[in-house]
Amino acid sequence: MTRIWNDPADFADEMTDGFAAANGRHVQRVTGGVVRSTESPRGQVAVVVGGGSGHYPAFGGLVGQGLAHGAAMGNLFASPSAQQIQAVAKAADNGGGVLFTYGNYAGDVLNFDAAQERLRAEGIPCATVAVTDDIFSAAPEERHKRRGIAGDLAVFRIAAAAAEAGNDLAGVERLARLANERTRSIGVAFSGCTLPGAEEPLFSVPEGRMAVGLGIHGEPGIDETDIPTADGLAELLVAKLLEEVPEGIAAAGARVVPILNGLGSLKYEELFVVYRRVAQLLEAAGLVIVDPHVGEYCTSFDMAGTSLTLFWLDDELEALWETPVDAPAYRRGSVTPAQLKAANGNGAADADAVPESDEASREAAGTVRAALEVIAATVDANVDELGRIDAVAGDGDHGIGMQRGAKAALAAGSAASGAGAGTTLARAAAAWADKAGGTSGALWGVILTGVAERLGDHGKPTAADVAAGVADGAKGVMDYGKAEVGDKTLVDALVPFAEALQRNADAGADLPTAWKAAAEDASRAAKATAELLPRMGRARPHAEKSLGTPDPGAHSLALIATAIGELFEGRNHHA
Amino acid sequence: MTRIWNDPADFADEMTDGFAAANGRHVQRVTGGVVRSTESPRGQVAVVVGGGSGHYPAFGGLVGQGLAHGAAMGNLFASPSAQQIQAVAKAADNGGGVLFTYGNYAGDVLNFDAAQERLRAEGIPCATVAVTDDIFSAAPEERHKRRGIAGDLAVFRIAAAAAEAGNDLAGVERLARLANERTRSIGVAFSGCTLPGAEEPLFSVPEGRMAVGLGIHGEPGIDETDIPTADGLAELLVAKLLEEVPEGIAAAGARVVPILNGLGSLKYEELFVVYRRVAQLLEAAGLVIVDPHVGEYCTSFDMAGTSLTLFWLDDELEALWETPVDAPAYRRGSVTPAQLKAANGNGAADADAVPESDEASREAAGTVRAALEVIAATVDANVDELGRIDAVAGDGDHGIGMQRGAKAALAAGSAASGAGAGTTLARAAAAWADKAGGTSGALWGVILTGVAERLGDHGKPTAADVAAGVADGAKGVMDYGKAEVGDKTLVDALVPFAEALQRNADAGADLPTAWKAAAEDASRAAKATAELLPRMGRARPHAEKSLGTPDPGAHSLALIATAIGELFEGRNHHA
């Protein structure tokens, strides 16, 4: 469990501050994460990694000469926002374009893709290689759906070495992709981890048992067994990885880098006992071990568990692997020290001036702020439940992410004093997306931005304006998240909500009435997502737990829609 | 808790094998531990560190260019044996003498001192600096009694840098001593740790509470509080360390290296949040922070806890601190890679030929083997209890150490086929000391060797021979361990046992009769050590637990003496 924090909501920021303070020789704090504190050659491709916090040394500990140029560091187990990623990439850019590489999780993909589009719009060339090394997270024929775990290290290092060697963006992307194609991992866990301030672990494994194939945020594994001996564990890990030798490689005589990774509480001593047998087994299979790695490379807070990665070298990759590295948590060989950079100036942008608005819209802005208060209070009251239901099939960050987003939105909306309704909500939307991180943060940013644009800063918004805004938001979410109704996501509740709102507004209902009916539809639809269904093709040993557990995104949308409906009704009463 | 092992008795050996297999670029496995796998300049002082296993990266992870030349790696939480230390030092020696440096624990001091004497006898100059950084383990006026914790790193690094800079043994010793005088640490813990195969943790801290000043093996702390916030913890650690600025230093303007060390399960993220505030507080006190360290440097398996060390630099120490290091778990700056060594040849010595013996002594050797079987069975039956009572005031390794020693002694005694009683017991004694490690291993080696010399390989041993041997052993133990009767150690039971045996033998009793009476005296004396008394001057927040808990060494001696007495009686019966 996590024991030490101040305000849990500040944990990720304070952690990043302390990390940067302790590692000034290697990294520099910038908005959104860290970049190297050392100069890179002009024109060198910048390798930007990132993801949620709680996986140290991933991701900030891997920034430094010979490794990443920057890391976007999200909240705990939550993707960094597109704003964070964009800010880090701009601070890391050396004029040679940016290669994004990160573990393949829905929230990260959404946010990195959005950042990539914005940077391209600004004229910065970008490419992306999402890491998909976890062989138990999807079948071989769906490799693109697999999650990224400790195999990140192999792909990050090759990308960085390729940049260091002077490759252009296309060359770096090709080599990073090749590294990803030749990296396979499998993980096991003996216990869950508890995020700061949480009452309970994200998930648990029964005493004496081992979950096989479990993800680094507690995503369901594919099997559960008794805890084996150290040798038995080595045999399981090696056997599974040798069942999936990458295409075109003969195992006998192949050169591999084994990475035996500790997830947090399984200690080095135990890892070495396991590695002893791993090395024997790899050699018995005719493999040649190159530069073995045993340690913590991608953790899950204090989860007790381990993963084994095999990185199958070819001559080109092996030559790149010898590139020296000097990062806070990862050093290889002897780096020629580069000059320290001057302090980096990607600090927070100045607050824009508030655009002009009329009295009617400023009055409506009061309603927007009241709604933001209701949202924040609703999320606060349900944060534990949202985390719990997300932990059934996801990474358990939904409650915390929603809470940070809603709190930041309320603060930004309140700070926009004198603004019209549209600007007030637009700022709240941007703050939500930035602070919440993760998938849900990005999607709520899209929804609220859609509504904000229809509200505008002039005139009293009508039910039709609101309905059109929600419809725009729903369309944006579907485009952005590539989800359809029936995929058991937020969309399942959002689309019926938007449609009912539109229908009732078209029929001439006032906003409270139209909203109430729409909220009821959303609640029904959210409940329907609770039907027991495998998600993303994964087997679910904990499936019994998810009986009756709705999709957390759909559920929180329904809760918020209902609470705002009550606000509107209450106001009506008093009006 | 520890989850992964094969046979717990093999854990430390297998861990060392796996560690060496994973780190062939840096270290080479030798009898007793590891040495650098890279060449060192001829004539360079060899810095040899060591201690029990379970503290990774201490001690093997700190061997490599710019740091230690070798590490003697004992069993879990048990000192390496004098044989192990001697073997590692001989493999590490470059012809410039050996500087031993290690944490100040009774078992380590005994074994390192014994190894030092043997090496000096062989003509290898040696010096020793025991690290005493833990300010809560004894009062300032008794600094020499303090334990060594993560401050080890500062002393090890300075010793190694001094050797690298070409200092002779006296110069290296002076600088290591200076570093130790300027190093202060304080630790806190939130949970205990569980050794492989153990049913229960070595100790526990109540949920939500924090033990202050607790040692890395669970030695009692000086206080217990509620778990503070991260900032509150930083304030506690910094305040305590600033209360004891080393003599002659003005805090304002002083340059310090802070080392915030994780004990195992407190994660890097939490350490960074704490470090954020530590840095602010040190700066507010006017200190200049140099090269901050935040990470795992000396762990206690998976204990949740942390320690803060301040290493107060002067110009000479700061210049040495910049020496590049390339060790498996610790790398700083850019090392010029040295040539790899050829495989080292300190392998196990060939078994000596068995010395000549007569029929009577070979028959007595059967009794020796039977006694060794009884000892091993008695220890097996009591291993958990011995560990538990040792954990009250010590490091909890007594049961495991005794078990390993007794098992190894039985194996060596059984393997000495055709040998007389003296040789059989002498080999058993050597194996016990070597495999058990720790204080008790060294002392049991001394006792059994004393007896073995009086048994000889010719003639049937008499009660007087055995009594004289035990008396020799008791004298050896007092010389070796510098303990007197009344110090609440093994000596409290051993001396009455030896005296009673002598008295009864002198009075003409046969061995079974003399032994039985002596064993009764030993049992009474062992029970008397259970009186509640602070040990080594430390306050004991868990003192209530030790009511009725005898000294574990005295207790195990009494158990074994009683069991052997029963063996002798049984044989008498059948004879």
Side-chain angles (χ1 to χ4, degrees):
Chain A
M1 59 186 299
T2 307
R3 293 177 177 81
I4 290 296
W5 60 83
N6 293 308
D7 181 344
D10 297 331
F11 188 90
D13 277 342
E14 293 186 348
M15 184 271 290
T16 308
D17 288 344
F19 163 69
N23 292 285
R25 286 188 184 200
H26 297 99
V27 301
Q28 195 169 75
R29 180 85 161 99
V30 295
T31 301
V34 296
V35 296
R36 290 189 194 176
S37 59
T38 50
E39 294 284 0
S40 303
R42 186 79 209 140
Q44 185 174 92
V45 173
V47 174
V48 173
V49 303
S53 294
H55 303 298
Y56 193 84
F59 293 89
L62 303 178
V63 174
Q65 282 187 262
L67 235 168
H69 293 77
M73 297 165 73
N75 291 321
L76 295 168
F77 286 9
S79 166
S81 68
Q83 283 95 320
Q84 284 184 288
I85 297 162
Q86 186 185 11
V88 170
K90 288 178 78 167
D93 180 33
N94 307 306
V98 176
L99 189 281
F100 289 115
T101 178
Y102 52 86
N104 185 43
Y105 296 90
D108 292 293
V109 172
L110 280 178
N111 285 293
F112 274 91
D113 279 355
Q116 179 170 264
E117 279 172 40
R118 292 185 204 173
L119 290 163
R120 284 177 178 158
E122 292 185 49
I124 299 177
C126 299
T128 291
V129 177
V131 182
T132 56
D133 57 315
D134 181 356
I135 65 170
F136 275 9
S137 56
E141 51 283 9
E142 297 200 301
R143 279 233 302 131
H144 64 285
K145 288 193 180 172
R146 287 180 173 173
R147 303 181 293 242
I149 52 176
D152 281 358
L153 179 70
V155 180
F156 295 178
R157 278 200 64 194
I158 291 300
E164 195 97 352
N167 286 275
D168 65 8
L169 184 58
V172 172
E173 182 187 355
R174 176 184 71 80
L175 285 158
R177 214 169 281 291
L178 178 64
N180 186 48
E181 277 163 20
R182 289 176 154 254
T183 303
R184 298 285 188 285
S185 304
I186 160 179
V188 297
F190 312 103
S191 80
C193 55
T194 309
L195 297 184
E199 298 275 318
E200 284 182 31
L202 270 186
F203 67 96
S204 59
V205 180
E207 188 65 31
R209 301 280 286 172
M210 176 175 86
V212 180
L214 187 129
I216 56 172
H217 312 99
E219 296 92 341
I222 58 158
D223 198 6
E224 198 184 277
T225 68
D226 284 343
I227 295 182
T229 62
D231 286 357
L233 176 56
E235 280 148 25
L236 169 76
L237 298 173
V238 170
K240 292 293 177 190
L241 288 179
L242 293 186
E243 279 173 15
E244 203 190 301
V245 178
E247 225 174 307
I249 301 177
R255 297 173 68 83
V256 294
V257 177
I259 303 174
L260 187 64
N261 174 61
L263 286 174
S265 283
L266 199 74
K267 296 319 302 170
Y268 280 80
E269 286 84 355
E270 295 169 281
L271 293 175
F272 288 131
V273 174
V274 176
Y275 180 71
R276 172 182 161 278
R277 184 73 184 138
V278 166
Q280 292 168 353
L281 292 166
L282 294 179
E283 280 163 7
L287 277 67
V288 179
I289 295 173
V290 178
D291 190 21
H293 283 52
V294 179
E296 295 183 348
Y297 303 99
C298 181
T299 63
S300 293
F301 253 112
D302 62 339
M303 191 189 295
T306 182
S307 64
L308 179 65
T309 298
L310 291 183
F311 176 41
W312 300 79
L313 297 168
D314 65 12
D315 291 347
E316 190 176 22
L317 296 172
E318 188 163 352
L320 290 169
W321 193 256
E322 286 301 310
T323 305
V325 178
D326 189 15
Y330 187 92
R331 294 168 206 176
R332 288 329 255 194
S334 291
V335 160
T336 308
Q339 179 124 25
L340 283 180
K341 275 197 259 195
N344 197 294
N346 91 337
D350 294 335
D352 295 342
V354 167
E356 188 260 328
S357 60
D358 67 12
E359 180 62 33
S361 184
R362 285 195 293 275
E363 202 186 306
T367 307
V368 168
R369 276 189 279 272
L372 292 170
E373 264 170 40
V374 164
I375 294 174
T378 304
V379 172
D380 274 348
N382 291 281
V383 63
D384 288 341
E385 190 202 354
L386 293 174
R388 238 181 347 262
I389 65 179
D390 187 36
V392 172
D395 52 14
D397 68 350
H398 186 71
I400 293 174
M402 289 290 291
Q403 192 174 38
R404 291 182 60 112
K407 190 176 155 189
L410 175 57
S414 304
S417 68
T423 294
T424 300
L425 188 55
R427 294 200 174 176
W432 188 312
D434 187 35
K435 292 294 176 190
T439 315
S440 72
L443 299 182
W444 276 88
V446 169
I447 297 170
L448 298 183
T449 303
V451 176
E453 283 174 6
R454 294 285 184 159
L455 296 186
D457 285 337
H458 293 89
K460 182 180 171 175
T462 64
D465 292 335
V466 174
V470 172
D472 288 351
K475 185 173 176 310
V477 163
M478 283 189 286
D479 288 352
Y480 193 67
K482 300 183 184 75
E484 309 274 331
V485 173
D487 288 353
K488 309 284 166 200
T489 71
L490 166 69
V491 169
D492 283 17
L494 178 58
V495 167
F497 177 71
E499 287 174 355
L501 196 59
Q502 189 81 60
R503 197 166 55 241
N504 287 291
D506 288 351
D510 62 0
L511 183 56
T513 309
W515 189 284
K516 187 180 178 192
E520 285 164 2
D521 281 12
S523 297
R524 253 191 309 276
K527 286 204 187 81
T529 65
E531 185 193 339
L532 179 63
L533 255 187
R535 194 170 159 187
M536 292 188 66
R538 296 194 299 250
R540 305 170 85 172
H542 307 303
E544 68 284 0
K545 284 200 212 149
S546 68
L547 250 176
T549 304
D551 173 76
H555 183 59
S556 51
L557 182 99
L559 287 174
I560 287 170
T562 303
I564 292 179
E566 286 162 8
L567 168 77
F568 288 158
E569 284 192 293
R571 285 180 63 87
N572 234 16
H573 251 269
H574 293 100
Chain B
M1 60 186 297
T2 308
R3 292 177 178 81
I4 290 295
W5 61 81
N6 293 308
D7 181 343
D10 297 331
F11 188 90
D13 277 342
E14 293 186 347
M15 184 270 291
T16 308
D17 287 344
F19 163 69
N23 292 284
R25 286 187 184 200
H26 297 98
V27 301
Q28 194 168 75
R29 181 86 161 100
V30 295
T31 301
V34 295
V35 296
R36 291 189 194 176
S37 59
T38 50
E39 293 285 359
S40 303
R42 187 79 208 141
Q44 186 174 91
V45 173
V47 174
V48 173
V49 303
S53 293
H55 303 298
Y56 192 84
F59 293 91
L62 304 177
V63 173
Q65 281 188 263
L67 236 167
H69 293 76
M73 298 166 72
N75 292 321
L76 295 169
F77 286 10
S79 166
S81 68
Q83 283 95 321
Q84 284 185 285
I85 297 162
Q86 186 184 11
V88 170
K90 288 178 78 165
D93 180 33
N94 308 305
V98 176
L99 188 282
F100 289 114
T101 178
Y102 52 85
N104 185 43
Y105 295 89
D108 293 292
V109 172
L110 280 178
N111 286 293
F112 274 91
D113 278 356
Q116 179 169 262
E117 280 172 38
R118 292 185 204 173
L119 290 163
R120 284 178 178 158
E122 292 184 48
I124 299 178
C126 298
T128 291
V129 178
V131 182
T132 56
D133 57 314
D134 182 355
I135 65 170
F136 276 8
S137 57
E141 51 283 9
E142 296 199 303
R143 280 234 299 134
H144 64 285
K145 288 193 181 171
R146 287 180 172 173
R147 304 180 293 243
I149 53 175
D152 280 359
L153 179 70
V155 181
F156 295 178
R157 277 200 64 194
I158 292 299
E164 195 97 352
N167 286 274
D168 65 8
L169 183 58
V172 173
E173 183 187 355
R174 177 185 70 80
L175 285 159
R177 214 169 283 289
L178 177 64
N180 186 49
E181 276 162 21
R182 289 176 154 256
T183 303
R184 298 285 188 285
S185 304
I186 161 179
V188 298
F190 312 103
S191 80
C193 56
T194 309
L195 298 184
E199 297 274 318
E200 285 181 31
L202 269 186
F203 67 96
S204 59
V205 180
E207 186 66 30
R209 301 280 286 171
M210 176 174 85
V212 180
L214 187 129
I216 55 172
H217 313 99
E219 296 92 341
I222 57 158
D223 197 7
E224 198 185 278
T225 68
D226 285 344
I227 295 183
T229 61
D231 286 357
L233 177 56
E235 281 148 25
L236 169 76
L237 298 173
V238 169
K240 293 291 177 192
L241 289 179
L242 292 186
E243 279 172 17
E244 203 191 300
V245 177
E247 226 175 306
I249 300 177
R255 297 173 67 81
V256 294
V257 177
I259 302 173
L260 187 65
N261 173 61
L263 285 174
S265 283
L266 199 72
K267 296 319 301 170
Y268 281 80
E269 286 83 357
E270 295 169 280
L271 293 175
F272 288 131
V273 174
V274 175
Y275 180 72
R276 172 183 161 277
R277 184 73 185 138
V278 166
Q280 291 168 354
L281 292 165
L282 294 178
E283 280 164 6
L287 276 67
V288 180
I289 295 173
V290 178
D291 191 21
H293 282 52
V294 180
E296 294 183 349
Y297 303 99
C298 181
T299 62
S300 293
F301 253 113
D302 62 338
M303 191 189 295
T306 181
S307 64
L308 179 65
T309 298
L310 291 183
F311 176 40
W312 300 78
L313 298 168
D314 66 9
D315 290 348
E316 192 176 27
L317 296 172
E318 188 163 352
L320 289 169
W321 193 256
E322 287 301 310
T323 305
V325 178
D326 189 17
Y330 187 91
R331 293 168 207 175
R332 286 331 252 193
S334 292
V335 160
T336 309
Q339 180 121 28
L340 283 181
K341 276 196 261 195
N344 196 293
N346 92 337
D350 292 337
D352 294 343
V354 168
E356 187 261 328
S357 59
D358 66 14
E359 180 63 31
S361 185
R362 285 195 294 275
E363 203 187 305
T367 306
V368 169
R369 277 190 277 272
L372 292 170
E373 263 170 41
V374 163
I375 294 174
T378 303
V379 172
D380 274 348
N382 291 281
V383 63
D384 289 341
E385 190 200 355
L386 293 174
R388 240 186 341 265
I389 66 180
D390 186 36
V392 173
D395 53 14
D397 67 351
H398 185 72
I400 293 173
M402 289 290 290
Q403 193 173 39
R404 291 181 61 111
K407 189 174 155 192
L410 175 58
S414 304
S417 68
T423 294
T424 300
L425 188 55
R427 294 202 174 174
W432 188 312
D434 187 36
K435 292 294 177 191
T439 315
S440 72
L443 299 182
W444 275 88
V446 169
I447 298 170
L448 299 183
T449 302
V451 177
E453 283 172 7
R454 295 284 184 159
L455 296 186
D457 286 336
H458 294 88
K460 183 181 173 176
T462 64
D465 293 334
V466 174
V470 171
D472 290 351
K475 187 173 174 310
V477 163
M478 283 190 285
D479 288 352
Y480 192 67
K482 301 181 184 78
E484 310 274 331
V485 172
D487 289 351
K488 309 284 166 198
T489 70
L490 166 68
V491 169
D492 283 18
L494 178 58
V495 168
F497 176 72
E499 286 173 356
L501 197 59
Q502 188 82 59
R503 196 165 57 239
N504 288 290
D506 288 351
D510 63 0
L511 183 58
T513 309
W515 189 284
K516 188 181 179 193
E520 285 165 3
D521 280 12
S523 296
R524 253 191 309 276
K527 285 203 187 81
T529 64
E531 184 193 338
L532 178 63
L533 255 188
R535 193 169 158 186
M536 292 188 68
R538 296 194 299 249
R540 303 171 85 173
H542 306 303
E544 69 282 2
K545 282 198 212 152
S546 69
L547 251 175
T549 303
D551 173 76
H555 184 58
S556 51
L557 182 99
L559 287 175
I560 288 169
T562 303
I564 292 179
E566 286 162 9
L567 168 77
F568 288 158
E569 284 192 293
R571 285 180 64 89
N572 233 16
H573 251 269
H574 293 100

